[in-house]
Amino acid sequence: MSDFARRIPKAELHVHIEGTLEPELMFELAQRNGLTLPYLSAQAAREAHTFQNLQAFLDLYYAGCSVLRTEGDFFELTRAYLARAAGQGVRHAEVFFDPQTHTVRGVPMEAVVHGIQRALQEGEARFGISSRLILCFLRHLPEQAADQTLDQALALGNAITAVGLDSSEAGNPPSRFQRVFERAADAGLLAVAHAGEEGPPEYIWEALDLLHARRIDHGVRCARDERLMERLADEQVPLTICPLSNVKLRVFASLEQHNLRWLLERGLLVTVNSDDPAYFGGYVADNFEAVEEALGLDQDQVVTLAKNSFLASFLTPDEKARQLQEVDRFNAQASSKTTS
Ligand code: ADE
Ligand code: ZN
């Protein structure tokens, strides 16, 4: 198979930076910070990556986060992600982070944000990857905790472009966070939200109508609600779909049964992303290749997915136009090679 899907220029819009923590770096940081992990080796940690559902994954993910203590740790984590992303055709990354899982352990918000931000700036100079930072509120915690987190983040100036909502979805509807999202909007921040990963279509309606989310993270359960499908297609609301994640967390029984191709052919603005690549067995280009093969996508559909990733981003119209030209140029070059 060609490496067309691997190399095509793309944006990554759904990646949790803490979910890029590979077991080797986890061990290195644990040792440096004087912590012991419940695994004997990086290989053993990797073998523990089988999950019955979202909550089983989150339990392991938050335990893994506990090795991140200093600004330098967040810098190294983000730098390692960008080096990998550069090899996967990523030209732009909108990166989630979960500050609450660090601040409850006494890590200052500044250490988290400055460490990530410094690596993102270096990544732009070194790899030409532009970026945005998205602060996610943990939905299993009360709205009051999200309020405090927003205040801490706003005190750091304009490091953050948007707020998001993640963690345990079932029983934690977006409506519980309406007020803090209103405050974020008043402060000039955009909004996204995880909805319809394990939760019902109603949570996607709430994310749109109450949180004013510009994109829906996952959103695959929209398929159960025809009226919602029509709205998402009419308004071209982007879905940031994470195929390998959905199979690992048993949202779909197999990649062959994933509804991504069907949603794309119904005219929804679908994008492909990695979610927590260190846990789910693949970065963004690995996700592109996996769905291309399992769902039999043709070259035009791969190009559409790459273009959608830029269209759905928070880049300016000029930056989007420039990136879309790059996709066209790449496609034209690849086509001329196959016909010559
Ligand atoms: N946090 C990290 N990954 C997540 C996911 N897939 N869903 C919800 N919260 C998350
Ligand atoms: Zn996610």
Side-chain angles (χ1 to χ4, degrees):
M1 201 177 22
S2 83
D3 59 358
F4 183 84
R6 171 158 298 272
R7 295 197 308 110
I8 194 167
K10 53 181 80 66
E12 165 112 280
L13 305 179
H14 185 159
V15 59
H16 302 262
I17 199 66
E18 296 91 343
T20 70
L21 179 58
E22 292 286 342
E24 289 75 14
L25 183 57
M26 192 189 294
F27 267 82
E28 211 177 300
L29 297 181
Q31 194 172 27
R32 189 191 303 168
N33 292 324
L35 305 162
T36 41
L37 288 168
Y39 315 105
L40 287 175
S41 65
Q43 183 55 28
R46 205 162 262 123
E47 279 162 14
H49 293 169
T50 58
F51 310 107
Q52 289 302 317
N53 53 32
L54 174 59
Q55 192 58 52
F57 156 70
L58 289 170
D59 293 344
L60 225 85
Y61 164 85
Y62 292 125
C65 286
S66 68
V67 303
L68 296 160
R69 297 280 158 120
T70 67
E71 181 181 326
D73 296 345
F74 287 93
F75 175 77
E76 273 186 53
L77 172 72
T78 308
R79 185 165 65 171
Y81 162 67
L82 290 167
R84 281 207 154 82
Q88 304 243 334
V90 173
R91 304 291 173 89
H92 176 70
E94 302 196 349
V95 174
F96 294 140
F97 72 118
D98 284 340
Q100 286 161 287
T101 192
H102 312 299
T103 52
V104 292
R105 295 182 286 107
V107 180
M109 175 69 95
E110 294 93 303
V112 181
V113 172
H114 290 159
I116 298 172
Q117 208 178 19
R118 200 153 54 80
L120 292 177
Q121 283 160 1
E122 187 200 80
E124 174 132 37
R126 201 162 150 199
F127 303 116
I129 299 177
S130 57
S131 59
R132 300 284 187 277
L133 196 48
I134 302 177
L135 181 159
C136 285
F137 300 121
L138 299 184
R139 71 202 304 164
H140 67 274
L141 297 177
E143 187 180 41
Q144 210 181 9
D147 263 319
Q148 281 175 4
T149 304
L150 179 61
D151 290 337
Q152 289 168 354
L154 292 177
L156 295 180
N158 59 359
I160 287 150
T161 297
V163 291
L165 187 66
D166 67 359
S167 196
S168 323
E169 188 181 7
N172 295 312
S175 52
R176 275 189 45 213
F177 295 87
Q178 187 174 356
R179 235 179 22 85
V180 71
F181 270 70
E182 265 166 28
R183 287 190 55 228
D186 290 343
L189 299 177
L190 301 170
V192 298
H194 283 55
E197 179 184 15
E198 283 189 344
E202 290 70 36
Y203 286 15
I204 301 176
W205 287 103
E206 286 188 11
L208 295 172
D209 292 332
L210 305 182
L211 306 187
H212 306 293
R214 307 290 187 98
R215 300 194 292 253
I216 298 297
D217 298 313
H218 295 293
V220 291
R221 293 243 165 132
C222 68
R224 299 176 178 196
D225 181 337
E226 184 52 31
R227 210 162 56 83
L228 177 58
M229 290 277 296
E230 280 166 22
R231 175 167 178 192
L232 294 171
D234 286 350
E235 297 181 10
Q236 289 290 282
V237 179
L239 301 186
T240 64
I241 295 182
C242 307
L244 291 174
S245 163
N246 290 156
V247 174
K248 278 278 188 177
L249 301 188
R250 304 180 194 240
V251 175
F252 292 94
S254 70
L255 217 45
E256 287 71 20
Q257 289 172 61
H258 200 290
N259 64 6
L260 178 141
R261 179 174 170 167
W262 181 72
L263 295 173
L264 191 64
E265 290 174 352
R266 283 285 314 258
L268 274 72
L269 205 161
V270 168
T271 68
V272 169
N273 305 272
S274 71
D275 209 5
D276 301 284
Y279 293 87
F280 300 147
Y283 285 75
V284 64
D286 306 317
N287 274 271
F288 266 74
E289 282 188 345
V291 286
E292 181 189 32
E293 179 165 355
L295 302 178
L297 302 184
D298 61 28
Q299 187 162 316
D300 286 349
Q301 287 174 313
V302 173
V303 171
T304 298
L305 290 171
K307 288 190 168 179
N308 283 354
S309 72
F310 293 112
L311 290 168
S313 74
F314 293 140
L315 288 167
T316 65
D318 281 355
E319 289 168 326
K320 285 185 189 183
R322 188 175 67 75
Q323 296 286 8
L324 294 173
Q325 269 179 5
E326 290 291 316
V327 176
D328 282 332
R329 189 171 307 147
F330 175 87
N331 191 25
Q333 264 175 11
S335 302
S336 71
K337 270 188 205 143
T338 52
T339 50
S340 63

